Amino acid sequence: MPPTRKARKENSNSQNLQKKIKRNEQKMFQYAPEQLERALEEIKEKRMGIRKASRQCGIPKTPIIDRLKGRVLVTRRKIGPDPILLVEVERKIVEWIIKIAKCGFPLKKADLLNTVQKIAQETDKTKFFKDGRPGQKWYKQFLKRHSELSFREAEGINKARAIITEEYIRAWFHELQIFLTQNNLTKLLDDPSCVFNGDESGFSLCPKSGKVLDPKGWKNLYQIKLGNEKGCLTVLIVFSANGVVCPPLVVFPYIRPP
């Protein structure tokens, strides 16, 4: 006998329930254990609330609340194999990326892959990469494992200087105060010999010669010079709050080093 309408409906509901459970199981572990640990640490240190930590770290609120209330033990669940470069090595790479980005030298994708390739060569792990170099799949998984990183367009320094406001400057000093407090370095602000300021200036290697005499009506006026008309030196002057001037740093024209 063919199944009744009620039986068909129950079978359909059962299939839908199984699909829903499977989708939930797939969503449950889409985040790395490091992301959950970081979210819990931010909340316990009172740097973020639950909602902000969930959004920043890419973790659903439910597992965070379950662990904060003790319904689930805070244990490190191992999902899949370890990264090729191991967790600790990747963590150091992430810290390096964040530090140099804050200094104004963000990495491009090729820069990261070149660095990882060099590390793989030095640790004899090139065999785990196709042609000895990490590819697009590794790059995507790396960003997925470390949600604190993102890939976007960087702003030029001229535009960044143009949007400087009093609010922006006060926010910078507020972040500096937090950094010094977290690292027990607030005493440095009381010592003027530990407070430095600096600025750079450019000096053209082919300065303009000023006004010259030329035939009246002559449109194209040039002056031949021995040096490169676009070459320049950059000099960085740094001094402390107690008046000590550091030796100047002079940057000569050269290609960007690796």
Short mmCIF file of all heavy atoms in Angstrom, two decimals, residues 83-85 116-135 138:
data_model
loop_
_atom_site.label_atom_id
_atom_site.label_comp_id
_atom_site.label_asym_id
_atom_site.label_seq_id
_atom_site.Cartn_x
_atom_site.Cartn_y
_atom_site.Cartn_z
N PRO A 83 47.53 23.21 11.76
CA PRO A 83 48.04 23.93 10.59
C PRO A 83 49.42 23.43 10.21
O PRO A 83 50.16 22.91 11.05
CB PRO A 83 48.07 25.39 11.07
CG PRO A 83 47.12 25.45 12.21
CD PRO A 83 47.16 24.12 12.87
N ILE A 84 49.78 23.61 8.96
CA ILE A 84 51.07 23.13 8.47
C ILE A 84 52.21 23.75 9.25
O ILE A 84 53.19 23.09 9.60
CB ILE A 84 51.21 23.42 6.96
CG1 ILE A 84 50.16 22.62 6.18
CG2 ILE A 84 52.61 23.09 6.47
CD1 ILE A 84 50.13 22.92 4.71
N LEU A 85 52.10 25.05 9.58
CA LEU A 85 53.17 25.74 10.30
C LEU A 85 52.99 25.69 11.81
O LEU A 85 53.73 26.35 12.54
CB LEU A 85 53.24 27.21 9.85
CG LEU A 85 53.55 27.45 8.38
CD1 LEU A 85 53.62 28.94 8.10
CD2 LEU A 85 54.85 26.79 7.99
N VAL A 116 55.74 33.07 4.32
CA VAL A 116 55.40 31.70 4.71
C VAL A 116 56.23 30.69 3.91
O VAL A 116 56.67 29.67 4.45
CB VAL A 116 53.89 31.45 4.49
CG1 VAL A 116 53.54 29.99 4.73
CG2 VAL A 116 53.08 32.34 5.42
N GLN A 117 56.47 30.98 2.64
CA GLN A 117 57.30 30.10 1.83
C GLN A 117 58.72 30.01 2.40
O GLN A 117 59.31 28.93 2.47
CB GLN A 117 57.34 30.59 0.39
CG GLN A 117 58.15 29.70 -0.54
CD GLN A 117 58.20 30.23 -1.96
OE1 GLN A 117 57.91 31.40 -2.20
NE2 GLN A 117 58.58 29.40 -2.90
N LYS A 118 59.24 31.15 2.83
CA LYS A 118 60.59 31.17 3.41
C LYS A 118 60.63 30.37 4.71
O LYS A 118 61.58 29.62 4.97
CB LYS A 118 61.03 32.61 3.64
CG LYS A 118 62.46 32.74 4.13
CD LYS A 118 62.86 34.19 4.27
CE LYS A 118 64.31 34.31 4.75
NZ LYS A 118 64.72 35.72 4.92
N ILE A 119 59.59 30.52 5.55
CA ILE A 119 59.52 29.76 6.80
C ILE A 119 59.43 28.27 6.50
O ILE A 119 60.07 27.45 7.17
CB ILE A 119 58.32 30.23 7.64
CG1 ILE A 119 58.52 31.68 8.09
CG2 ILE A 119 58.14 29.33 8.86
CD1 ILE A 119 57.33 32.26 8.82
N ALA A 120 58.62 27.91 5.49
CA ALA A 120 58.48 26.50 5.13
C ALA A 120 59.80 25.92 4.64
O ALA A 120 60.13 24.77 4.93
CB ALA A 120 57.40 26.35 4.06
N GLN A 121 60.57 26.71 3.91
CA GLN A 121 61.87 26.25 3.43
C GLN A 121 62.84 26.02 4.59
O GLN A 121 63.59 25.05 4.60
CB GLN A 121 62.45 27.25 2.44
CG GLN A 121 61.70 27.33 1.11
CD GLN A 121 62.17 28.46 0.23
OE1 GLN A 121 62.94 29.32 0.66
NE2 GLN A 121 61.70 28.47 -1.02
N GLU A 122 62.81 26.92 5.57
CA GLU A 122 63.73 26.81 6.70
C GLU A 122 63.33 25.69 7.65
O GLU A 122 64.18 25.18 8.39
CB GLU A 122 63.78 28.14 7.45
CG GLU A 122 64.38 29.28 6.63
CD GLU A 122 64.34 30.60 7.36
OE1 GLU A 122 63.69 30.65 8.44
OE2 GLU A 122 64.94 31.58 6.87
N THR A 123 62.04 25.31 7.66
CA THR A 123 61.57 24.25 8.56
C THR A 123 61.30 22.94 7.82
O THR A 123 60.70 22.02 8.39
CB THR A 123 60.29 24.70 9.28
OG1 THR A 123 59.30 25.08 8.31
CG2 THR A 123 60.57 25.89 10.19
N ASP A 124 61.72 22.87 6.56
CA ASP A 124 61.58 21.65 5.76
C ASP A 124 60.12 21.21 5.64
O ASP A 124 59.78 20.04 5.84
CB ASP A 124 62.42 20.52 6.36
CG ASP A 124 62.60 19.36 5.38
OD1 ASP A 124 62.49 19.59 4.16
OD2 ASP A 124 62.81 18.22 5.84
N LYS A 125 59.23 22.18 5.33
CA LYS A 125 57.81 21.85 5.18
C LYS A 125 57.27 22.26 3.81
O LYS A 125 56.06 22.35 3.63
CB LYS A 125 57.00 22.55 6.28
CG LYS A 125 57.26 21.97 7.66
CD LYS A 125 56.29 22.50 8.69
CE LYS A 125 56.52 21.82 10.02
NZ LYS A 125 55.53 22.27 11.05
N THR A 126 58.17 22.50 2.87
CA THR A 126 57.71 22.86 1.53
C THR A 126 56.96 21.72 0.85
O THR A 126 56.17 21.95 -0.06
CB THR A 126 58.91 23.27 0.66
OG1 THR A 126 59.89 22.21 0.68
CG2 THR A 126 59.55 24.54 1.17
N LYS A 127 57.20 20.48 1.30
CA LYS A 127 56.53 19.33 0.68
C LYS A 127 55.02 19.34 0.92
O LYS A 127 54.27 18.66 0.22
CB LYS A 127 57.13 18.03 1.23
CG LYS A 127 57.02 17.89 2.74
CD LYS A 127 57.75 16.65 3.24
CE LYS A 127 57.70 16.57 4.76
NZ LYS A 127 58.44 15.39 5.27
N PHE A 128 54.58 20.10 1.92
CA PHE A 128 53.14 20.16 2.21
C PHE A 128 52.42 21.18 1.33
O PHE A 128 51.20 21.26 1.38
CB PHE A 128 52.92 20.51 3.69
CG PHE A 128 53.44 19.47 4.63
CD1 PHE A 128 54.61 19.68 5.34
CD2 PHE A 128 52.77 18.28 4.81
CE1 PHE A 128 55.11 18.74 6.22
CE2 PHE A 128 53.24 17.31 5.68
CZ PHE A 128 54.42 17.53 6.39
N PHE A 129 53.17 21.98 0.58
CA PHE A 129 52.59 22.97 -0.32
C PHE A 129 52.85 22.56 -1.77
O PHE A 129 53.90 21.99 -2.08
CB PHE A 129 53.19 24.36 -0.08
CG PHE A 129 52.91 24.93 1.28
CD1 PHE A 129 53.95 25.14 2.19
CD2 PHE A 129 51.62 25.26 1.66
CE1 PHE A 129 53.71 25.65 3.44
CE2 PHE A 129 51.37 25.78 2.92
CZ PHE A 129 52.41 25.97 3.81
N LYS A 130 51.91 22.87 -2.62
CA LYS A 130 52.09 22.60 -4.04
C LYS A 130 53.18 23.52 -4.60
O LYS A 130 53.15 24.73 -4.41
CB LYS A 130 50.78 22.84 -4.80
CG LYS A 130 50.86 22.47 -6.27
CD LYS A 130 49.53 22.69 -6.96
CE LYS A 130 49.61 22.34 -8.45
NZ LYS A 130 48.32 22.57 -9.14
N ASP A 131 54.15 22.92 -5.26
CA ASP A 131 55.31 23.64 -5.80
C ASP A 131 56.10 24.36 -4.70
O ASP A 131 56.82 25.33 -4.97
CB ASP A 131 54.88 24.66 -6.87
CG ASP A 131 54.18 23.98 -8.06
OD1 ASP A 131 54.55 22.83 -8.37
OD2 ASP A 131 53.28 24.60 -8.64
N GLY A 132 55.95 23.89 -3.47
CA GLY A 132 56.72 24.46 -2.37
C GLY A 132 56.27 25.84 -1.92
O GLY A 132 57.00 26.52 -1.19
N ARG A 133 55.08 26.27 -2.33
CA ARG A 133 54.61 27.62 -1.99
C ARG A 133 53.14 27.57 -1.63
O ARG A 133 52.34 26.92 -2.32
CB ARG A 133 54.82 28.55 -3.18
CG ARG A 133 54.31 29.98 -2.97
CD ARG A 133 54.57 30.83 -4.20
NE ARG A 133 53.97 32.15 -4.09
CZ ARG A 133 54.52 33.18 -3.45
NH1 ARG A 133 55.68 33.03 -2.87
NH2 ARG A 133 53.92 34.36 -3.41
N PRO A 134 52.72 28.24 -0.53
CA PRO A 134 51.30 28.27 -0.18
C PRO A 134 50.47 28.95 -1.25
O PRO A 134 50.92 29.92 -1.88
CB PRO A 134 51.27 29.05 1.14
CG PRO A 134 52.53 29.86 1.12
CD PRO A 134 53.54 29.03 0.40
N GLY A 135 49.28 28.43 -1.47
CA GLY A 135 48.42 28.97 -2.52
C GLY A 135 47.17 29.64 -1.98
O GLY A 135 47.09 30.01 -0.80
N TRP A 138 45.34 27.82 1.05
CA TRP A 138 45.98 28.05 2.36
C TRP A 138 45.71 29.48 2.84
O TRP A 138 45.44 29.70 4.03
CB TRP A 138 47.49 27.83 2.27
CG TRP A 138 48.19 28.04 3.57
CD1 TRP A 138 48.45 27.11 4.53
CD2 TRP A 138 48.68 29.30 4.08
NE1 TRP A 138 49.08 27.70 5.60
CE2 TRP A 138 49.22 29.04 5.37
CE3 TRP A 138 48.71 30.60 3.59
CZ2 TRP A 138 49.80 30.04 6.14
CZ3 TRP A 138 49.27 31.60 4.37
CH2 TRP A 138 49.81 31.31 5.63
#
